Amino acid sequence: MTVAVLAAAATLGLGGPPARADTPAAPGVTVPDLKTDDGSFIQSVGVTDDRHVTFTVYSAAMKQTFPVAVLRPEDTSEPRPTLYLLNGAGGGVDSATWQLRTDALDFLSDKNINVVQIIGGAFSWYTDWLQPDRELGVNKWSTYLGKELPPLMAAALGSNGANAIAGISMAGLPVLNSVIFNPGLFRSAAVYSGFFQTTTPLGRESIKMVTELYGGGKVENMWGPEGGPLWVANDPTLNAEKLRGTNLFISTGNGIPGAFDVPGARGRMEAPADTAKTVALGSFIEANVELSTVILQKRLESLHIPATFEFRSSGTHIWGYWQDDLKTSWPVLAQGLFPPP
C-alpha cells in the first residue's frame, strides 16, 4: 500500500513525506503532506468509522476548501479502484444526495471500491467559469474534478489507478466532459437523466434554467455569450469522438409518470400535497432529457462509438429511478474499474 501511494505521488509530480503525524487512523488512508502542481492539497480527514471518511480538500483553482465524503472498500489489503459519484443541481450540499435519497452506498459497499462523493458546486454545471459570479462565487470545477482531486485521492487512498465517474441530472454534462478533458483518467462513465448539448436551443435553455432560475447566477459568467467558443468546447455531443474507448452507460425516462411518481414513493422529497405539481415539472424535464439522450445516441452511432443506453418505458426526474439506474449501470462501470488482465 505504501509503495502504491509513493508511486502515485511520484507519477503525478507530488513531493514530500507520505503522511502527517496527526492523521486519524483508518485502514489504507493517509493525509499526504503533498501538493499538486497548482498547490491543491488535503487539509485534513475525519474518520467516522473504518469505512467512512471525509476529507477536507483545498482547491487552489477556487481558493477554498471542500468536503469530500469517501466510502472505503470492504477489503483494503491491496489497492482498489475508485468511483467518483456526483449529485445533481444542489451539488450535494442539500438533502438531494445519493446518500440521503437512495441505497447507492449500501449497493456499492461490497464492490471493493473507493466511492468518492463530490460535495459542492451547486448550479455550476461542475465546469470552469470565466469569472466569479455574484451569487455563485468562483467555480473551477472542471479543474477540480480532472486535475486537482484525483491525484490527491489516489495518494490518500492508495488506489490502483482505475477510475470511473457517474452522476445524475446536471452532472451528466460534466461527467462526459471529465472524460473528454482528461484522456485516460476515467475508464467508465455513467449518466442518469442528464443533458448532453450546450449549443442547441434546448440545451442552452436547460443550462440557463438550472444556473439562472434556480441558482440565481449568470451563464455569461460561466462560458461567455451564448454560442461562443466555450459553449462549443463544453458540448460533449459535438466532441463525442473523444469519448471513444470509454465504457459508457446512459439512462433516461420519458416523462410518463411511473412507479415512483406517487405521493410517498421512494426518492420523493416534496410533501404529498405537492406531488402532483412536482411530478408535472419532473415529467417536462425528463421528456426533454429523453430528447437530449436520443441526440447523443445518434451522434455516437454515427461515429461507431459503442455505448449502453437504457430508455425506460416510464419515469420522471426523480431519485427512485436513478437508484435503479445505478444498479443497472454497474456492469458497465465495473468494466472500467475491474478491467480484464
Side-chain angles (χ1 to χ4, degrees):
M1 184 70 71
T2 301
V3 171
V5 171
L6 294 178
T11 301
L12 294 159
L14 307 175
R20 296 190 178 96
D22 60 352
T23 301
V29 175
T30 63
V31 178
D33 191 13
L34 308 169
K35 292 185 178 181
T36 60
D37 290 339
D38 72 347
S40 300
F41 62 92
I42 296 175
Q43 186 177 85
S44 63
V45 60
V47 178
T48 301
D49 55 41
D50 288 353
R51 301 291 306 278
H52 298 84
V53 298
T54 300
F55 293 96
T56 301
V57 176
Y58 175 77
S59 165
M62 291 184 275
K63 295 181 172 58
Q64 58 183 305
T65 60
F66 298 96
V68 180
V70 177
L71 171 67
R72 298 287 287 127
E74 189 173 37
D75 179 2
T76 59
S77 63
E78 60 182 89
R80 300 295 183 185
T82 301
L83 170 64
Y84 288 80
L85 195 58
L86 279 66
N87 293 288
V93 299
D94 55 9
S95 61
T97 68
W98 286 103
Q99 184 172 5
L100 295 176
R101 298 298 165 186
T102 74
D103 65 0
L105 296 186
D106 290 337
F107 172 75
L108 296 168
S109 65
D110 65 351
K111 302 297 186 288
N112 266 333
I113 61 173
N114 299 288
V115 182
V116 174
Q117 302 153 75
I118 306 302
I119 301 174
F123 312 111
S124 70
W125 292 91
Y126 292 113
T127 189
D128 283 2
W129 287 44
L130 274 175
Q131 58 191 19
D133 186 86
R134 178 179 295 182
E135 184 67 26
L136 299 179
V138 175
N139 291 285
K140 296 291 182 181
W141 287 93
S142 182
T143 296
Y144 181 74
L145 291 174
K147 302 296 190 296
E148 295 181 331
L149 190 59
L152 294 174
M153 290 294 97
L157 301 172
S159 62
N160 67 4
N163 300 310
I165 187 168
I168 64 158
S169 191
M170 185 191 77
L173 196 73
V175 161
L176 295 191
N177 281 336
S178 292
V179 173
I180 290 170
F181 298 157
N182 305 282
L185 179 59
F186 300 106
R187 300 178 181 180
S188 292
V191 177
Y192 321 109
S193 297
F195 285 98
F196 306 108
Q197 295 84 40
T198 64
T199 54
T200 63
L202 173 61
R204 291 194 299 269
E205 288 305 310
S206 299
I207 290 166
K208 289 172 67 176
M209 181 177 73
V210 170
T211 298
E212 298 190 350
L213 180 62
Y214 292 111
K218 296 294 183 183
V219 294
E220 289 82 3
N221 293 329
M222 184 166 68
W223 293 330
E226 290 183 42
L230 286 180
W231 289 78
V232 174
N234 282 278
D235 189 317
T237 301
L238 289 182
N239 299 293
E241 175 59 40
K242 296 180 181 179
L243 295 171
R244 190 180 301 277
T246 306
N247 303 293
L248 300 171
F249 177 95
I250 314 292
S251 65
T252 179
N254 56 14
I256 299 174
F260 304 118
D261 294 303
V262 295
R266 182 219 299 170
R268 300 225 65 89
M269 299 173 57
E270 75 285 340
D274 295 328
T275 296
K277 64 181 181 182
T278 305
V279 168
L281 176 60
S283 178
F284 172 77
I285 293 172
E286 198 70 5
N288 288 304
V289 163
E290 183 187 42
L291 177 58
S292 178
T293 303
V294 169
I295 294 171
L296 176 67
Q297 182 188 40
K298 292 184 180 300
R299 171 67 168 160
L300 293 177
E301 288 176 348
S302 73
L303 296 171
H304 304 288
I305 296 176
T308 299
F309 283 86
E310 177 76 11
F311 289 91
R312 288 183 270 103
S313 60
S314 65
T316 66
H317 207 66
I318 195 66
W319 285 98
Y321 302 104
W322 301 330
Q323 173 175 301
D324 290 346
D325 289 348
L326 182 142
K327 295 175 182 179
T328 303
S329 74
W330 173 247
V332 175
L333 291 172
Q335 288 175 22
L337 294 170
F338 300 98

